Short mmCIF file of all heavy atoms in Angstrom, two decimals:
data_model
loop_
_atom_site.label_atom_id
_atom_site.label_comp_id
_atom_site.label_asym_id
_atom_site.label_seq_id
_atom_site.Cartn_x
_atom_site.Cartn_y
_atom_site.Cartn_z
N PRO A 67 -14.88 -3.67 -19.54
CA PRO A 67 -15.07 -5.09 -19.49
C PRO A 67 -15.36 -5.64 -18.06
O PRO A 67 -15.91 -6.67 -17.87
CB PRO A 67 -13.74 -5.69 -20.01
CG PRO A 67 -12.77 -4.66 -19.90
CD PRO A 67 -13.52 -3.32 -20.04
N LEU A 68 -15.00 -4.84 -17.07
CA LEU A 68 -15.18 -5.28 -15.68
C LEU A 68 -16.58 -4.84 -15.17
O LEU A 68 -16.98 -5.20 -14.06
CB LEU A 68 -14.07 -4.71 -14.77
CG LEU A 68 -12.68 -5.25 -14.95
CD1 LEU A 68 -11.65 -4.45 -14.08
CD2 LEU A 68 -12.67 -6.77 -14.60
N ASN A 69 -17.28 -4.05 -16.01
CA ASN A 69 -18.63 -3.60 -15.51
C ASN A 69 -18.66 -2.84 -14.26
O ASN A 69 -19.47 -3.00 -13.45
CB ASN A 69 -19.57 -4.85 -15.39
CG ASN A 69 -20.49 -4.88 -16.53
OD1 ASN A 69 -20.86 -3.89 -17.14
ND2 ASN A 69 -20.89 -6.11 -16.86
N ILE A 70 -17.66 -1.91 -14.16
CA ILE A 70 -17.59 -1.14 -12.92
C ILE A 70 -18.64 -0.05 -12.91
O ILE A 70 -18.83 0.64 -13.97
CB ILE A 70 -16.19 -0.53 -12.77
CG1 ILE A 70 -15.10 -1.66 -12.84
CG2 ILE A 70 -16.01 0.27 -11.52
CD1 ILE A 70 -15.06 -2.55 -11.69
N ALA A 71 -19.22 0.24 -11.84
CA ALA A 71 -20.22 1.32 -11.75
C ALA A 71 -19.54 2.64 -11.97
O ALA A 71 -18.49 2.90 -11.59
CB ALA A 71 -20.90 1.31 -10.38
N PRO A 72 -20.28 3.66 -12.67
CA PRO A 72 -19.67 4.85 -13.06
C PRO A 72 -18.90 5.67 -11.96
O PRO A 72 -17.87 6.09 -12.19
CB PRO A 72 -20.87 5.70 -13.57
CG PRO A 72 -21.92 4.69 -14.03
CD PRO A 72 -21.71 3.55 -13.12
N GLU A 73 -19.55 5.74 -10.77
CA GLU A 73 -18.90 6.49 -9.67
C GLU A 73 -17.63 5.80 -9.21
O GLU A 73 -16.67 6.42 -8.74
CB GLU A 73 -19.90 6.80 -8.57
CG GLU A 73 -20.36 5.57 -7.75
CD GLU A 73 -21.55 4.85 -8.45
OE1 GLU A 73 -21.91 5.18 -9.52
OE2 GLU A 73 -22.07 3.89 -7.82
N LYS A 74 -17.60 4.49 -9.29
CA LYS A 74 -16.46 3.71 -8.97
C LYS A 74 -15.36 3.86 -10.03
O LYS A 74 -14.16 3.87 -9.65
CB LYS A 74 -16.75 2.27 -8.78
CG LYS A 74 -17.49 1.92 -7.46
CD LYS A 74 -17.40 0.39 -7.28
CE LYS A 74 -18.01 -0.01 -5.91
NZ LYS A 74 -18.01 -1.44 -5.81
N ILE A 75 -15.80 4.02 -11.29
CA ILE A 75 -14.72 4.26 -12.37
C ILE A 75 -13.97 5.55 -12.03
O ILE A 75 -12.81 5.60 -12.01
CB ILE A 75 -15.43 4.32 -13.75
CG1 ILE A 75 -16.14 3.04 -14.08
CG2 ILE A 75 -14.40 4.75 -14.79
CD1 ILE A 75 -16.85 3.13 -15.40
N ALA A 76 -14.82 6.58 -11.77
CA ALA A 76 -14.19 7.92 -11.58
C ALA A 76 -13.23 7.86 -10.35
O ALA A 76 -12.10 8.43 -10.44
CB ALA A 76 -15.25 8.97 -11.31
N LYS A 77 -13.59 7.19 -9.31
CA LYS A 77 -12.76 7.10 -8.14
C LYS A 77 -11.50 6.35 -8.45
O LYS A 77 -10.36 6.75 -8.05
CB LYS A 77 -13.53 6.42 -7.02
CG LYS A 77 -13.02 6.71 -5.67
CD LYS A 77 -13.89 6.14 -4.57
CE LYS A 77 -13.08 6.14 -3.22
NZ LYS A 77 -13.61 5.23 -2.26
N GLY A 78 -11.62 5.19 -9.19
CA GLY A 78 -10.49 4.34 -9.51
C GLY A 78 -9.55 5.03 -10.43
O GLY A 78 -8.31 4.80 -10.29
N VAL A 79 -10.00 5.86 -11.33
CA VAL A 79 -9.13 6.61 -12.24
C VAL A 79 -8.47 7.71 -11.51
O VAL A 79 -7.22 7.92 -11.59
CB VAL A 79 -9.97 7.15 -13.46
CG1 VAL A 79 -9.08 8.11 -14.30
CG2 VAL A 79 -10.45 5.95 -14.34
N ALA A 80 -9.24 8.50 -10.74
CA ALA A 80 -8.64 9.62 -9.94
C ALA A 80 -7.63 9.24 -8.99
O ALA A 80 -6.65 10.00 -8.75
CB ALA A 80 -9.80 10.35 -9.16
N GLN A 81 -7.68 8.06 -8.48
CA GLN A 81 -6.73 7.50 -7.56
C GLN A 81 -5.32 7.64 -8.11
O GLN A 81 -4.32 7.93 -7.44
CB GLN A 81 -7.03 6.08 -7.20
CG GLN A 81 -5.95 5.40 -6.34
CD GLN A 81 -6.42 3.91 -5.99
OE1 GLN A 81 -7.61 3.59 -5.99
NE2 GLN A 81 -5.49 3.07 -5.75
N PHE A 82 -5.18 7.43 -9.40
CA PHE A 82 -3.90 7.51 -10.15
C PHE A 82 -3.73 8.93 -10.77
O PHE A 82 -2.67 9.51 -10.62
CB PHE A 82 -3.76 6.46 -11.22
CG PHE A 82 -3.92 5.05 -10.65
CD1 PHE A 82 -5.10 4.29 -10.93
CD2 PHE A 82 -2.94 4.51 -9.83
CE1 PHE A 82 -5.23 2.98 -10.29
CE2 PHE A 82 -3.08 3.17 -9.30
CZ PHE A 82 -4.26 2.52 -9.52
N ALA A 83 -4.77 9.40 -11.40
CA ALA A 83 -4.64 10.72 -12.12
C ALA A 83 -4.28 11.77 -11.15
O ALA A 83 -3.53 12.73 -11.52
CB ALA A 83 -5.93 11.01 -12.86
N ASP A 84 -4.80 11.84 -9.96
CA ASP A 84 -4.65 12.93 -8.98
C ASP A 84 -3.35 12.77 -8.15
O ASP A 84 -3.01 13.65 -7.37
CB ASP A 84 -5.85 13.07 -8.04
CG ASP A 84 -7.06 13.44 -8.87
OD1 ASP A 84 -6.98 13.80 -10.03
OD2 ASP A 84 -8.19 13.30 -8.25
N ALA A 85 -2.67 11.62 -8.30
CA ALA A 85 -1.53 11.33 -7.45
C ALA A 85 -0.25 11.83 -8.05
O ALA A 85 -0.08 11.85 -9.29
CB ALA A 85 -1.46 9.79 -7.16
N ASP A 86 0.72 12.15 -7.24
CA ASP A 86 2.06 12.51 -7.72
C ASP A 86 3.12 11.49 -7.46
O ASP A 86 4.14 11.48 -8.12
CB ASP A 86 2.42 13.93 -7.03
CG ASP A 86 1.49 15.02 -7.38
OD1 ASP A 86 1.32 15.31 -8.56
OD2 ASP A 86 0.79 15.50 -6.38
N LEU A 87 2.86 10.64 -6.39
CA LEU A 87 3.81 9.55 -6.14
C LEU A 87 3.09 8.44 -5.37
O LEU A 87 2.31 8.78 -4.39
CB LEU A 87 4.97 10.03 -5.31
CG LEU A 87 5.99 8.93 -4.96
CD1 LEU A 87 6.95 8.71 -6.12
CD2 LEU A 87 6.86 9.35 -3.72
N ALA A 88 3.25 7.23 -5.78
CA ALA A 88 2.72 6.11 -5.03
C ALA A 88 3.71 4.94 -5.19
O ALA A 88 4.41 4.90 -6.15
CB ALA A 88 1.36 5.69 -5.51
N VAL A 89 3.77 4.12 -4.20
CA VAL A 89 4.53 2.89 -4.26
C VAL A 89 3.67 1.71 -4.25
O VAL A 89 2.84 1.60 -3.28
CB VAL A 89 5.56 2.85 -3.10
CG1 VAL A 89 6.38 1.54 -3.11
CG2 VAL A 89 6.46 4.03 -3.03
N ALA A 90 3.70 0.91 -5.29
CA ALA A 90 2.93 -0.31 -5.30
C ALA A 90 3.70 -1.35 -4.52
O ALA A 90 4.86 -1.67 -4.88
CB ALA A 90 2.67 -0.76 -6.80
N VAL A 91 3.19 -1.91 -3.50
CA VAL A 91 3.79 -2.97 -2.77
C VAL A 91 3.18 -4.30 -3.37
O VAL A 91 2.03 -4.54 -3.31
CB VAL A 91 3.52 -2.88 -1.28
CG1 VAL A 91 4.10 -4.10 -0.52
CG2 VAL A 91 4.04 -1.53 -0.70
N ILE A 92 4.14 -5.08 -3.87
CA ILE A 92 3.78 -6.29 -4.58
C ILE A 92 4.12 -7.51 -3.77
O ILE A 92 5.20 -7.69 -3.27
CB ILE A 92 4.54 -6.38 -5.89
CG1 ILE A 92 4.37 -5.06 -6.73
CG2 ILE A 92 4.12 -7.59 -6.77
CD1 ILE A 92 2.97 -4.65 -7.04
N ALA A 93 3.07 -8.35 -3.59
CA ALA A 93 3.31 -9.68 -3.00
C ALA A 93 3.92 -10.55 -4.05
O ALA A 93 3.35 -10.73 -5.12
CB ALA A 93 2.12 -10.36 -2.44
N SER A 94 5.07 -11.11 -3.77
CA SER A 94 5.86 -11.86 -4.81
C SER A 94 6.24 -13.17 -4.19
O SER A 94 7.44 -13.34 -3.76
CB SER A 94 7.05 -11.08 -5.22
OG SER A 94 7.65 -11.56 -6.34
N PRO A 95 5.31 -14.12 -4.09
CA PRO A 95 5.57 -15.35 -3.34
C PRO A 95 6.70 -16.23 -3.89
O PRO A 95 6.92 -16.25 -5.11
CB PRO A 95 4.31 -16.12 -3.33
CG PRO A 95 3.44 -15.53 -4.50
CD PRO A 95 3.93 -14.15 -4.68
N LYS A 96 7.44 -16.79 -2.93
CA LYS A 96 8.60 -17.65 -3.39
C LYS A 96 8.23 -19.16 -3.14
O LYS A 96 7.61 -19.45 -2.04
CB LYS A 96 9.78 -17.31 -2.63
CG LYS A 96 10.23 -15.79 -2.76
CD LYS A 96 10.69 -15.50 -4.21
CE LYS A 96 11.14 -14.11 -4.44
NZ LYS A 96 10.12 -13.13 -4.41
N PRO A 97 8.62 -20.02 -4.02
CA PRO A 97 8.33 -21.45 -3.70
C PRO A 97 9.07 -21.82 -2.46
O PRO A 97 10.24 -21.47 -2.20
CB PRO A 97 9.00 -22.17 -4.91
CG PRO A 97 9.60 -21.16 -5.76
CD PRO A 97 9.46 -19.80 -5.21
N SER A 98 8.32 -22.56 -1.53
CA SER A 98 8.99 -22.99 -0.33
C SER A 98 8.12 -24.11 0.23
O SER A 98 6.95 -24.13 0.30
CB SER A 98 8.95 -21.85 0.70
OG SER A 98 9.28 -22.33 2.04
N GLU A 99 8.83 -25.21 0.67
CA GLU A 99 8.15 -26.29 1.27
C GLU A 99 7.86 -26.00 2.79
O GLU A 99 6.98 -26.59 3.38
CB GLU A 99 9.00 -27.55 1.18
CG GLU A 99 9.02 -28.12 -0.24
CD GLU A 99 9.82 -29.46 -0.42
OE1 GLU A 99 10.24 -30.03 0.58
OE2 GLU A 99 10.00 -29.81 -1.55
N LYS A 100 8.57 -25.06 3.28
CA LYS A 100 8.55 -24.81 4.75
C LYS A 100 7.63 -23.64 5.08
O LYS A 100 6.92 -23.71 6.12
CB LYS A 100 9.91 -24.54 5.23
CG LYS A 100 10.06 -24.40 6.74
CD LYS A 100 11.52 -24.33 7.18
CE LYS A 100 11.56 -23.65 8.49
NZ LYS A 100 12.61 -22.60 8.59
N ILE A 101 7.64 -22.56 4.29
CA ILE A 101 6.88 -21.39 4.64
C ILE A 101 5.56 -21.28 3.91
O ILE A 101 5.54 -21.17 2.62
CB ILE A 101 7.75 -20.06 4.35
CG1 ILE A 101 9.19 -20.30 4.78
CG2 ILE A 101 7.03 -18.88 4.89
CD1 ILE A 101 9.39 -20.53 6.31
N PRO A 102 4.44 -21.39 4.66
CA PRO A 102 3.11 -21.24 3.94
C PRO A 102 2.98 -19.94 3.23
O PRO A 102 3.48 -18.90 3.64
CB PRO A 102 2.14 -21.31 5.17
CG PRO A 102 2.85 -21.92 6.32
CD PRO A 102 4.33 -21.52 6.08
N ALA A 103 2.19 -20.03 2.12
CA ALA A 103 2.00 -18.86 1.25
C ALA A 103 1.37 -17.70 2.10
O ALA A 103 1.76 -16.53 1.89
CB ALA A 103 1.05 -19.20 0.14
N ILE A 104 0.52 -18.02 3.02
CA ILE A 104 -0.14 -16.95 3.72
C ILE A 104 0.86 -16.17 4.61
O ILE A 104 0.72 -14.98 4.84
CB ILE A 104 -1.37 -17.48 4.54
CG1 ILE A 104 -2.17 -16.27 4.99
CG2 ILE A 104 -0.94 -18.33 5.78
CD1 ILE A 104 -3.59 -16.69 5.43
N GLU A 105 1.87 -16.83 5.07
CA GLU A 105 2.90 -16.17 5.85
C GLU A 105 3.66 -15.22 5.05
O GLU A 105 4.09 -14.08 5.48
CB GLU A 105 3.85 -17.18 6.57
CG GLU A 105 3.08 -18.00 7.64
CD GLU A 105 4.05 -18.67 8.57
OE1 GLU A 105 5.32 -18.47 8.48
OE2 GLU A 105 3.63 -19.50 9.38
N GLN A 106 3.87 -15.57 3.78
CA GLN A 106 4.55 -14.65 2.80
C GLN A 106 3.64 -13.41 2.55
O GLN A 106 4.11 -12.28 2.45
CB GLN A 106 4.87 -15.37 1.57
CG GLN A 106 5.77 -16.61 1.79
CD GLN A 106 6.31 -17.23 0.44
OE1 GLN A 106 6.55 -16.52 -0.42
NE2 GLN A 106 6.37 -18.55 0.49
N THR A 107 2.28 -13.68 2.51
CA THR A 107 1.41 -12.51 2.31
C THR A 107 1.40 -11.66 3.50
O THR A 107 1.36 -10.45 3.33
CB THR A 107 -0.01 -13.05 2.06
OG1 THR A 107 0.03 -14.04 0.98
CG2 THR A 107 -0.96 -11.95 1.65
N TYR A 108 1.46 -12.21 4.74
CA TYR A 108 1.52 -11.38 5.91
C TYR A 108 2.72 -10.47 5.84
O TYR A 108 2.68 -9.28 6.25
CB TYR A 108 1.62 -12.28 7.15
CG TYR A 108 0.45 -13.14 7.51
CD1 TYR A 108 0.61 -14.33 8.24
CD2 TYR A 108 -0.86 -12.79 7.12
CE1 TYR A 108 -0.42 -15.09 8.58
CE2 TYR A 108 -1.96 -13.63 7.44
CZ TYR A 108 -1.76 -14.74 8.16
OH TYR A 108 -2.79 -15.59 8.43
N SER A 109 3.84 -11.02 5.45
CA SER A 109 5.09 -10.23 5.39
C SER A 109 4.93 -9.06 4.41
O SER A 109 5.41 -7.94 4.67
CB SER A 109 6.26 -11.13 4.94
OG SER A 109 7.44 -10.43 5.05
N ALA A 110 4.23 -9.33 3.29
CA ALA A 110 4.00 -8.22 2.29
C ALA A 110 3.07 -7.19 2.87
O ALA A 110 3.28 -5.98 2.63
CB ALA A 110 3.43 -8.84 1.07
N GLY A 111 2.08 -7.55 3.70
CA GLY A 111 1.32 -6.59 4.38
C GLY A 111 2.09 -5.75 5.37
O GLY A 111 1.86 -4.58 5.50
N ALA A 112 2.96 -6.47 6.07
CA ALA A 112 3.82 -5.76 7.01
C ALA A 112 4.63 -4.67 6.27
O ALA A 112 4.89 -3.62 6.86
CB ALA A 112 4.75 -6.76 7.76
N ALA A 113 5.10 -5.01 5.02
CA ALA A 113 5.89 -4.02 4.26
C ALA A 113 5.08 -2.77 4.03
O ALA A 113 5.57 -1.60 4.07
CB ALA A 113 6.34 -4.63 2.96
#
Side-chain angles (χ1 to χ4, degrees):
L68 291 172
N69 255 331
I70 304 292
E73 65 279 7
K74 282 193 173 178
I75 298 176
K77 201 175 165 201
V79 171
Q81 173 179 337
F82 302 107
D84 296 348
D86 300 300
L87 181 79
V89 178
V91 178
I92 308 303
S94 193
K96 302 291 181 295
S98 170
E99 287 181 11
K100 187 173 156 226
I101 313 300
I104 196 163
E105 293 196 6
Q106 301 190 38
T107 308
Y108 295 153
S109 187

